[in-house]
């Protein structure tokens, strides 16, 4: 590292300067002090580790900082809560310098501005690999958090936006070479994912019975809802909103799309929510199937149906 820790901390404090009325003591003291909100406190944490979640060769510091905040905000959104505060614990290796670190914090600041939350503190450590661990707190009106376990037989299953774009974007990044037509939105999907905070609020207002953000692929995340609720699901293959340029396999098993998967009590709720989400955010809401009794997650193509394995598309694609 080409700066002392003290110099780096003061540079970071400048990047993160500015605090809202709820921040009583922000970056720079032993701990942050914030005013409690009126609702229930929602907490989540997620770490992005070099070599496992990203590569320094393909990921910019700014995108990494932005994404480290967004993936946590997405989990807050999936509870139908609003993000409030963030903390980050950075481990920096010899492969990065002070400019890289300030860019990383700049990306975090950008995401915090976008989603109206405050980065109130953090920690720096040296280590063999870069790791960006972020904690985000949120707030929800008492009893209004939407859990995974609320899905009931007869509920419609809906998903926001499109799926598979992030996995396809990673494939494009690994391929390298000049960009082809249609590559850019896929790279955006991977490196600049969007947390569906406003969309989650609309789904909650329309009586969403369960909600999860699609971080590990539709197959696995839908199976998590089914296991939590003790129900099964039937989805229609033709209605899965596969991102342009992505494959069905990437949509089902790719992960990191950070779209919302929710269950709604009836078709009228789906119509109301989809109109509102389209009007407010320009984002599609697609009905892909329904919750059923039992435990199996079935995918149908009209003529036949098969079990959708929670590990992804490979099992489904294998000839039986
Ligand atoms: Mg999640």
């Amino acid at each position: 590292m080409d700066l002392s820790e003290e110099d780096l901390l003061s540079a970071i404090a400048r990047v993160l300067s500015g605090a809202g009325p709820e921040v009583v003591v922000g970056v720079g003291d032993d701990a942050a002090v914030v005013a409690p909100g009126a609702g229930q406190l929602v907490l989540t944490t997620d770490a992005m580790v070099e070599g496992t979640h990203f590569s320094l060769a393909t990921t910019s510091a700014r995108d990494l900082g932005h994404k480290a905040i967004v993936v946590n905000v997405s989990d807050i959104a999936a509870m139908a809560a609003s993000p409030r505060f963030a903390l980050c614990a950075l481990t920096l290796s010899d492969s990065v310098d002070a400019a890289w670190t300030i860019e990383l914090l700049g990306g975090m600041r950008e995401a915090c501005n976008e989603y109206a939350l405050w980065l109130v503190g953090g920690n720096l450590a040296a280590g063999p690999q870069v790791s960006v661990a972020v904690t985000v707190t949120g707030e929800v009106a008492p009893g209004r958090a939407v859990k995974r376990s609320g899905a009931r037989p007869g509920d419609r299953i809906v998903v926001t936006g499109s799926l598979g774009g992030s996995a396809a974007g990673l494939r494009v990044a690994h391929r390298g070479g000049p960009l082809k037509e249609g590559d850019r939105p896929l790279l955006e999907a991977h490196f600049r994912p969007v947390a569906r905070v406003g969309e989650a609020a609309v789904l909650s207002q329309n009586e969403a019975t369960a909600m999860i953000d699609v971080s590990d692929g539709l197959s696995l995340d839908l199976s998590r809802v089914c296991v939590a609720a003790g129900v099964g699901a039937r989805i229609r293959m033709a209605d899965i909103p596969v991102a342009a340029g992505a494959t069905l396999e990437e949509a089902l098993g790719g992960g990191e799309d950070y779209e919302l998967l929710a269950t709604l009590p009836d078709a009228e709720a789906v119509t109301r929510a989809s109109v509102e989400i389209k009007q407010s955010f320009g984002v599609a809401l697609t009905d892909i199937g329904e919750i059923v009794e039992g435990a199996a997650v079935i995918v149908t193509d009209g003529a036949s149906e098969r079990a959708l394995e929670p590990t992804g598309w490979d099992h489904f694609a294998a000839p039986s």
Side-chain angles (χ1 to χ4, degrees):
M1 185 62 64
D2 49 351
L3 273 182
S4 74
E5 185 176 344
E6 282 305 307
D7 288 345
L8 188 56
L9 287 172
S10 69
I12 288 171
R14 279 199 306 280
V15 177
L16 300 180
S17 61
E22 307 137 308
V23 181
V24 182
V25 180
V27 173
D29 216 308
D30 298 290
V33 180
V34 299
Q40 286 175 331
L41 189 57
V42 182
L43 304 145
T44 190
T45 191
D46 201 4
M48 299 185 66
V49 179
E50 181 189 354
T52 303
H53 301 99
F54 67 91
S55 140
L56 289 173
T58 52
T59 309
S60 77
R62 186 159 282 265
D63 284 347
L64 180 63
H66 189 269
K67 187 168 177 175
I69 296 289
V70 168
V71 301
N72 281 280
V73 169
S74 179
D75 275 327
I76 296 287
M79 302 307 291
S82 300
R84 288 286 180 267
F85 305 104
L87 296 165
C88 69
L90 301 180
T91 305
L92 302 174
S93 73
D94 287 340
S95 347
V96 297
D97 59 11
W100 186 94
T101 308
I102 290 168
E103 272 297 294
L104 177 87
L105 271 293
M108 289 188 175
R109 172 78 188 255
E110 208 182 304
C112 287
N113 288 348
E114 240 168 81
Y115 295 97
L117 67 156
W118 302 103
L119 185 51
V120 293
N123 182 59
L124 284 177
Q129 283 156 322
V130 174
S131 157
V132 184
V134 169
T135 296
V136 169
T137 74
E139 195 180 325
V140 68
R144 296 293 296 169
V146 178
K147 297 183 287 184
R148 297 177 181 181
S149 57
R152 293 291 170 263
D155 285 354
R156 306 307 311 168
I157 302 169
V158 294
V159 64
T160 60
S162 62
L163 300 172
S166 177
L170 186 60
R171 170 165 52 78
V172 167
H174 284 159
R175 184 197 71 208
L179 288 191
K180 297 179 188 159
E181 168 127 19
D183 282 350
R184 197 164 293 282
L186 299 176
L187 292 170
E188 285 264 306
H190 184 72
F191 292 107
R192 284 276 165 156
V194 174
R196 302 293 189 196
V197 180
E199 293 86 340
V202 172
L203 289 164
S204 169
Q205 283 150 19
N206 284 286
E207 262 84 70
T209 49
M211 196 148 60
I212 187 170
D213 65 324
V214 184
S215 55
D216 294 317
L218 180 64
S219 312
L220 188 51
D221 289 318
L222 176 57
S223 82
R224 285 171 172 152
V225 169
C226 289
V227 167
V231 295
R234 280 176 67 90
I235 59 171
R236 300 177 304 276
M237 194 155 68
D239 291 327
I240 295 169
V242 181
T247 64
L248 185 58
E249 182 180 23
E250 285 165 339
L252 286 170
E256 291 206 296
D257 286 311
Y258 302 103
E259 296 294 350
L260 292 170
L261 174 69
T263 54
L264 291 170
D266 50 42
E268 291 70 42
V270 174
T271 303
R272 283 195 309 271
S274 69
V275 167
E276 207 177 328
I277 286 174
K278 185 54 123 181
Q279 278 174 355
S280 302
F281 310 105
V283 169
L285 185 74
T286 309
D287 182 321
I288 60 167
E290 66 180 334
I291 296 292
V292 296
E293 307 266 359
V297 180
I298 300 291
V299 60
T300 160
D301 64 2
S304 63
E305 52 185 49
R306 299 186 206 188
L308 186 64
E309 299 295 335
T311 43
W313 179 248
D314 281 346
H315 291 269
F316 179 68
S320 50

